[in-house]
Amino acid sequence: MPFAKLGLSSPLVQAITELGYKTPTPIQEQAIPAILSGNDLIATAQTGTGKTAAFVLPLLERFSNAETLRGKRIRALILVPTRELAVQVEASVAQYAKHTPLTSMAAYGGVDTAPQKERLIEGVDILVATPGRLLDLAHQRAVHFDELQVMVLDEADRMVDMGFVDDIHKIIVRLPENRQNLLFTATMTNDVRAIAHAFSDSKMTDVAANISITPNVRAAATINQWLITVDKDTKSALLSHLINEQAWDQALIFVEKKHSAAKLVAQLEKRGIQADSIHGGRSQAMREKVLDQFKSGELKYLVATGVAARGLDIGELSRVVNYDLPFQPEEYIHRIGRTGRAGASGEAISLVDISDFKNLCAIERRLKNTIERKDVEGFPVKKAVPVSNLDHVKKSSR
Ligand code: AMP
């Protein structure tokens, strides 16, 4: 998806194109439209996910037609825990704002306040600041918050760790009540939740969009692969059982044929599990709609044919399921590569019936390993699936 589709106008698109950004990262795809719509937002995202652009770009967009600022006023405050981050984030703001008239500055401790005060006299659209220095400048009446529209708390968990909670509270009470709040954190802890509450009388946690993004980790080692052998006629019952029993938060479920996709959705729904599908038989518009629902978390279980899912930027997932095994081992590798998050490892689960055996052999040979098998109570297998011989000499019985 191009940046312009996210609602960014040409001066911003030009700046990011010049920086070499080709497509938005997952957090940008989700956060930019949410922020442009004026909503509060809580996002769990680590450094490296493109989170800075995710909140800076919509701010710049929002202010692009704004009226002239009065002196010592700011439109947005980005609070960061460290001086280094203040410098870094402000540098990004300046790069993204290059083709706009919008201004930015960084205010941090450890240096003389005079140049910072001087710079604030004319007003600054986006102020990036560490809490202590900001309070200092506010006490000295070098900055006023009455025109502030957006407050961003970046790396909120680090702010807590560094003991800035009191300062944050002192800053919040100085801000206009009617403002947009954005909170970014690498981890969601109770302390961070408490700050989110304090932001605006718990309004934030009730209405804010919640976005969770973890960096792309491709290491296969973090992917927990396992399989269950099953009879063809109990496959959908087994899948429903696993979804419920293991309380899966999310799953991308691969099937081989488009008619099996629709059938599986119906079978899951019969058991009270809401799912949807993308396959070649659905229009592009419909596929995109379903995909967006899946990405936003509104839809938890997406059934997809490999062909329809190919080329779609689904981002990182906690779990993929091979309801049918693919014919090509490479396709299996590609599918499981969609999981494997930093910290929490991804899962790739295959439901293997006897008709999948040939494909299983090819995949396991490609992996140079057999995939761990697990048994699930209540699903005895009538047609046992043999263990593949990795040297492909002869199949042996399980
Ligand atoms: P951040 O997570 O904000 O610290 O960003 C990490 C790095 O990714 C920074 O060097 C950004 O310049 C870069 N970056 C951000 N968005 C994109 C994008 N859409 N495409 C390529 N690089 C990006």
Side-chain angles (χ1 to χ4, degrees):
M1 182 190 288
F3 278 100
K5 263 207 165 172
L6 295 178
L8 300 176
S9 49
S10 50
L12 299 178
V13 174
Q14 194 188 335
I16 49 190
T17 306
E18 284 166 11
L19 287 169
Y21 299 4
K22 291 195 172 62
T23 49
T25 63
I27 184 123
Q28 290 162 2
E29 249 181 45
Q30 292 182 54
I32 291 172
I35 297 172
L36 284 175
S37 71
N39 287 334
D40 283 356
L41 179 88
I42 301 174
T44 317
Q46 296 173 1
T47 301
T49 53
K51 68 180 168 71
T52 314
F55 61 79
V56 172
L57 292 170
L59 293 190
L60 295 172
E61 183 66 39
R62 220 185 122 160
F63 301 149
S64 58
N65 294 316
E67 286 166 15
T68 319
L69 263 184
R70 286 191 290 151
K72 300 186 180 177
R73 302 309 195 275
I74 59 171
R75 296 186 212 277
L77 168 64
I78 301 173
L79 268 189
V80 296
T82 64
R83 169 188 171 151
E84 290 69 29
L85 200 58
V87 171
Q88 188 189 309
V89 170
E90 197 275 329
S92 298
V93 176
Q95 282 182 323
Y96 303 144
K98 196 172 151 198
H99 300 298
T100 75
L102 297 167
T103 55
S104 59
M105 76 169 272
Y108 45 82
V111 292
D112 188 7
T113 51
Q116 295 177 0
K117 283 159 75 176
E118 180 96 359
R119 180 82 181 74
L120 278 163
I121 288 174
E122 299 257 296
V124 166
D125 291 295
I126 298 186
L127 176 65
V128 187
T130 51
R133 175 54 59 99
L134 182 76
L135 282 170
D136 218 3
L137 292 167
H139 287 145
Q140 295 185 41
R141 308 191 63 75
V143 59
H144 299 279
F145 301 108
D146 52 345
E147 290 193 19
L148 181 133
Q149 297 173 45
V150 188
M151 152 85 174
V152 184
L153 200 58
D154 192 17
E155 308 219 347
D157 50 351
R158 246 171 110 193
M159 297 257 205
V160 170
D161 287 347
M162 291 175 70
F164 286 136
V165 173
D166 285 350
D167 281 353
I168 291 170
H169 285 290
K170 284 183 200 153
I171 292 165
I172 290 172
V173 295
R174 289 174 168 265
L175 307 181
E177 266 184 33
N178 194 8
R179 60 173 197 268
Q180 184 177 22
N181 300 294
L182 312 174
L183 183 148
F184 288 78
T185 185
T187 53
M188 184 50 77
T189 62
N190 284 339
D191 290 326
V192 173
R193 270 188 210 100
I195 294 182
H197 271 274
F199 253 159
S200 50
D201 301 334
S202 82
K203 171 185 143 239
M204 184 166 185
T205 40
D206 292 340
V207 302
N210 276 283
I211 293 179
S212 181
I213 296 291
T214 35
N216 234 350
V217 178
R218 295 249 161 255
T222 65
I223 303 167
N224 180 19
Q225 301 174 57
W226 49 281
L227 66 80
I228 305 179
T229 59
V230 62
D231 290 319
K232 211 176 188 70
D233 57 357
T234 49
K235 245 190 198 185
S236 74
L238 172 64
L239 178 62
S240 310
H241 175 82
L242 290 170
I243 288 175
N244 288 326
E245 198 67 19
Q246 303 189 354
W248 288 356
D249 59 333
Q250 184 194 44
L252 174 60
I253 302 153
F254 285 102
V255 294
E256 272 313 286
K257 299 201 173 74
K258 59 186 177 198
H259 76 261
S260 350
K263 187 172 157 199
L264 180 57
V265 167
Q267 286 169 324
L268 290 173
E269 282 184 341
K270 237 193 261 165
R271 296 188 179 90
I273 295 164
Q274 207 219 322
D276 211 333
S277 64
I278 49 172
H279 54 75
R282 304 194 88 171
S283 69
Q284 188 60 29
M286 197 57 184
R287 285 194 229 174
E288 276 178 25
K289 186 174 159 229
V290 171
L291 191 66
D292 283 345
Q293 287 173 340
F294 185 61
K295 283 186 187 174
S296 73
E298 200 184 317
L299 175 71
K300 290 162 79 177
Y301 311 111
L302 176 63
V303 180
T305 57
V307 176
R310 199 168 303 145
L312 294 176
D313 178 19
I314 300 189
E316 290 292 317
L317 295 157
S318 54
R319 181 176 299 99
V320 301
V321 177
N322 290 303
Y323 190 81
D324 297 321
L325 279 184
F327 292 104
Q328 300 292 337
E330 286 314 319
E331 173 76 7
Y332 175 86
I333 310 273
H334 183 67
R335 287 183 190 177
I336 70 164
R338 292 176 183 274
T339 81
R341 299 174 167 210
S345 56
E347 262 191 320
I349 303 141
S350 300
L351 308 187
V352 181
D353 70 69
I354 186 72
S355 70
D356 291 310
F357 180 61
K358 261 195 179 159
N359 296 334
L360 177 67
C361 288
I363 291 163
E364 293 190 320
R365 245 179 282 133
R366 169 71 175 73
L367 294 172
K368 298 188 177 68
N369 244 318
T370 50
I371 300 168
E372 182 194 353
R373 297 185 179 208
K374 290 189 184 174
D375 289 320
V376 175
E377 236 184 275
F379 292 88
V381 184
K382 283 182 243 119
K383 292 183 184 158
V385 181
V387 174
S388 27
N389 182 326
L390 297 181
D391 298 329
H392 196 47
V393 180
K394 208 169 171 266
K395 299 175 286 192
S396 59
S397 228
R398 199 183 167 198

